[in-house]
Amino acid sequence: MAQAARIAVELEGLVRRFGSRDVLSRISLAVPEGQITCLLGQSGCGKSTLLRLIAGVDRPDGGRIVIDGREVAGPQRFVEPEDRQIGLMFQDYALFPHLSVDDNLAFGLRDLPKSARAARVAEIAERIGITHLRDHFPHSLSGGEQQRVALARALAPKPAILLMDEPFSNLDRGLRERVRQETVSTLRQLGATAVIVTHDPHEALAVGDLIVLMRAGQIEQTGTPYEIYDAPRSLYAAEFMGPCNRLTGVWNGRALETPIGTFAGDLALNDGELALACIRPQALSIVPDGDGISARILAKTFIGESEMIDLQVHPLGEPLRMHSHFRVPMAVGARVGLKLNGAQVHLFSAPDDRDNLSQLAKT
């Protein structure tokens, strides 16, 4: 049996209020050492506030923060940011424009002797692959080069934990993916403990060893990328991690009966109660007319690696959307058959008013 990872950061009942509003409400979380943890959520959910509390640039109104076994924030204690052994990388990189790359990297090493400082700058510049940029100034660097310099500066003091706030959001898509892969590869080679804030579920799935999905100041679900995508615990989690077709059905004690099929599950409901199926677009596949469920193609959108297809299925009031990585030869308006892969169907028993489910009961 694999040994459990040590805990690098432990949060216990963290609360942060702005005025009368709770921005964070009793957040408890264990961040594993040597892994990448992604704080994921939409704008305003509290993820950046949580990062600032860990960094020490903001103070909690309640709860405790423990880094590497040492309390750094609590009812009777507050350790300043510079004494927490953390590296902080901002969304805009915050490089000092008047300093060369070399001097930017050396900025957090001022307590080291000159020779040790120079050796560490040379070491981290080589590790990140920016040795050729050491005499340049930030204004002369591309976005990807600035990102790498910011990463090197944050790692130069050998922090116990690296905190990154939307570190790839300022880059163009193609460059973003390449720089992200390079950054993650570097962090894994170093065995670094990192907490990365992102609003992008695809980025979290690609980067994180652990994903912490946040919603309205609370943790909605925590898990590995596979756990949080394949086994969402709420409709919100299911839909945030990827598109879903919503479908209302009736629970029969063992399965959810819907107009397009019956899906087994384990819901704490009485027979006859309404429940919801969340059907991933990739759970649907088109077959020749006469097989499967009868449907009609309403629209087709080619998006490069796949086609997005909208299908009308009687008696559903809303079309179903599917993604196909194979070319579908049938034209818009054609009658087709539809089959479902039940592995990508998730059932939920307690619709939340915030999910706007009330109208689905009328379907």
Side-chain angles (χ1 to χ4, degrees):
M1 181 180 295
Q3 186 175 4
R6 288 186 67 246
I7 302 304
V9 181
E10 189 169 6
L11 313 178
E12 299 177 2
L14 276 191
V15 175
R16 184 68 177 102
R17 300 185 185 93
F18 293 162
S20 60
R21 182 170 69 95
D22 278 1
V23 177
L24 295 175
S25 180
R26 301 196 60 79
I27 295 288
S28 294
L29 176 67
V31 175
E33 184 180 69
Q35 297 185 22
I36 298 174
T37 297
C38 285
L39 302 181
L40 172 65
Q42 61 188 358
S43 298
C45 72
K47 57 188 187 296
S48 291
T49 297
L50 185 56
L51 198 77
R52 289 196 296 271
L53 293 181
I54 298 172
V57 296
D58 194 8
R59 293 178 180 243
D61 294 300
R64 299 172 66 239
I65 302 173
V66 177
I67 296 179
D68 198 22
R70 179 176 66 126
E71 182 178 278
V72 296
Q76 307 299 325
R77 183 172 176 80
F78 183 80
V79 175
E80 295 296 333
E82 59 269 23
D83 297 320
R84 292 194 180 194
Q85 279 193 294
I86 56 98
L88 185 57
M89 184 172 163
F90 297 96
Q91 182 176 358
D92 60 0
Y93 312 139
L95 298 175
F96 299 112
H98 62 291
L99 298 181
S100 67
V101 167
D102 228 38
D103 290 336
N104 265 279
L105 299 187
F107 187 80
L109 306 174
R110 288 168 295 178
D111 292 339
L112 292 180
K114 185 175 181 180
S115 59
R117 184 164 65 243
R120 178 56 182 161
V121 167
E123 177 189 355
I124 196 65
E126 182 176 1
R127 171 76 73 158
I128 305 300
I130 56 171
T131 299
H132 62 294
L133 301 175
R134 290 179 57 181
D135 61 347
H136 292 216
F137 283 79
H139 72 270
S140 68
L141 305 179
S142 68
E145 290 169 340
Q146 290 184 24
Q147 197 273 351
R148 285 190 283 271
V149 172
L151 175 64
R153 185 180 65 179
L155 290 172
K158 298 183 178 180
I161 179 170
L162 176 63
L163 307 177
M164 308 171 77
D165 192 358
E166 299 275 8
F168 312 111
S169 61
N170 287 338
L171 304 175
D172 294 335
R173 180 180 176 183
L175 181 61
R176 180 166 67 242
E177 293 178 359
R178 180 168 63 83
V179 171
R180 184 176 68 203
Q181 289 176 350
E182 293 172 352
T183 301
V184 170
S185 177
T186 299
L187 294 177
R188 297 206 189 286
Q189 289 173 13
L190 294 172
T193 302
V195 178
I196 300 178
V197 163
T198 180
H199 66 278
D200 184 348
H202 300 294
E203 184 166 278
L205 290 171
V207 168
D209 298 299
L210 182 72
I211 296 176
V212 182
L213 177 61
M214 297 184 64
R215 180 188 191 190
Q218 298 181 326
I219 293 176
E220 184 79 8
Q221 185 173 347
T222 301
T224 67
Y226 290 105
E227 289 170 343
I228 207 164
Y229 186 85
D230 292 338
R233 296 178 188 167
S234 66
L235 175 65
Y236 182 84
E239 293 192 324
F240 195 92
M241 299 311 297
C244 285
N245 296 289
R246 295 183 180 187
L247 194 61
T248 299
V250 178
W251 182 248
N252 68 12
R254 299 176 305 279
L256 186 66
E257 298 177 354
T258 78
I260 66 168
T262 299
F263 307 105
D266 184 17
L267 300 180
L269 292 177
N270 297 318
D271 289 8
E273 288 191 79
L274 292 178
L276 191 73
C278 177
I279 303 172
R280 297 282 187 202
Q282 61 268 30
L284 305 173
S285 58
I286 286 179
V287 294
D289 190 21
D291 290 341
I293 303 161
S294 180
R296 183 170 63 87
I297 297 178
L298 295 180
K300 295 172 65 176
T301 304
F302 180 55
I303 51 178
E305 72 277 8
S306 65
E307 280 188 308
M308 188 167 62
I309 302 169
D310 292 336
L311 298 146
Q312 182 64 58
V313 179
H314 181 77
L316 303 182
E318 295 292 328
L320 297 179
R321 172 162 290 178
M322 69 166 284
H323 292 166
S324 174
H325 288 282
F326 301 95
R327 298 290 186 268
V328 175
M330 297 82 161
V332 172
R335 303 297 306 186
V336 296
L338 191 63
K339 286 192 174 180
L340 284 85
N341 164 19
Q344 291 293 330
V345 178
H346 308 297
L347 307 184
F348 301 104
S349 58
D352 189 322
D353 288 342
R354 294 175 296 174
D355 296 321
N356 298 318
L357 300 183
S358 58
Q359 73 274 16
L360 292 174
K362 302 175 185 177
T363 301

